[in-house]
Amino acid sequence: MRARATAATAALLLAALTACGGGGDGGDKTAASKPPTTATPSEEPTPGQVEKGMKLGESAQTTGDGGTGVLQITPDTVVFTKEGGGETAENGMFVVVTMKDKAMTAVAADEPAPIGGGGWKWMAPDGEMLDTQGGNAFNVTMGKYNNADPVQPGAWQWRSQVFDLTPAQAKGGTLIYIDGEEKAHRWEMPSANSGPNVAEVKKQLEF
């Protein structure tokens, strides 16, 4: 009887130890010894980091003036010149950029006017923002590229912007367009004449 009781007691003790995870090197013991997993926080953007812009010739879908319509805008050609349209650059360099504006919806669309804070800006390599009203830029005109009417549905037109900059501001700048929803679209600009219509733009600038 004593032997049977001892065997029964041993069996009960073994069962209790197994239930508590005390026997062997089971997975439960290993899991219990590990600290809880912590999710890695997402990487924060570096202060001052700016989204890289598009390249000359790439298109952006933009909202028209007043939020009406959609314009597909494609900066096409850039020309650097000290003189153009009968004017001499006050700050040393005219930067002439031509672009193709195409209406993409069933309503006419236009570019916002600079007076409302929209339209075109030039960001110099040091971050300075410049507009098209500086120096003698406003007086430079080119017949083919001077369109300014709203673009009708299914149509497109050539436009241009001229900046009067110092040589340092002109070299390696960023072209910025602020659309009808105040969204900024950016193009990294080359430092030399570029694009398929350089010769034609130069001819248009001759007087």
Side-chain angles (χ1 to χ4, degrees):
M1 294 291 293
R2 181 177 296 178
R4 291 181 180 176
T6 301
T9 301
L12 289 173
L13 287 173
L14 180 59
L17 288 171
T18 302
C20 293
D25 295 325
D28 290 343
K29 181 179 179 181
T30 303
S33 66
K34 289 183 178 180
T37 302
T38 303
T40 303
S42 58
E43 183 179 351
E44 295 293 332
T46 303
Q49 184 177 2
V50 180
E51 181 182 355
K52 189 174 181 180
M54 295 172 282
K55 295 179 180 179
L56 184 70
E58 294 183 339
S59 301
Q61 303 294 318
T62 72
T63 302
D65 187 27
T68 302
V70 174
L71 278 179
Q72 177 180 277
I73 295 182
T74 311
D76 175 81
T77 296
V78 59
V79 169
F80 299 83
T81 179
K82 295 179 179 180
E83 297 180 350
E87 300 288 337
T88 300
E90 181 178 303
N91 297 311
M93 185 70 66
F94 286 131
V95 179
V96 183
V97 186
T98 64
M99 60 279 300
K100 183 178 181 180
D101 285 11
K102 182 178 181 180
M104 303 299 291
T105 60
V107 295
D110 200 2
E111 295 182 3
I115 193 171
W120 296 92
K121 312 285 183 184
W122 182 275
M123 186 172 74
D126 66 357
E128 182 180 5
M129 294 288 288
L130 304 143
D131 60 32
T132 58
Q133 308 302 310
N136 292 325
F138 190 75
N139 297 320
V140 178
T141 60
M142 297 183 294
K144 177 178 178 178
Y145 297 98
N146 284 341
N147 297 296
D149 296 328
V151 185
Q152 298 301 314
W156 64 273
Q157 61 181 229
W158 287 113
R159 294 194 180 194
S160 64
Q161 298 294 330
V162 182
F163 301 89
D164 189 337
L165 308 173
T166 67
Q169 291 169 339
K171 187 175 182 179
T174 301
L175 183 68
I176 298 176
Y177 173 72
I178 302 172
D179 70 11
E181 288 186 339
E182 299 184 356
K183 179 179 179 181
H185 306 268
R186 306 160 57 88
W187 290 265
E188 302 299 327
M189 302 301 289
S191 299
N193 296 344
S194 302
N197 296 313
V198 170
E200 184 176 16
V201 172
K202 284 184 174 182
K203 186 174 180 179
Q204 292 272 326
L205 289 168
E206 293 176 357
F207 268 72

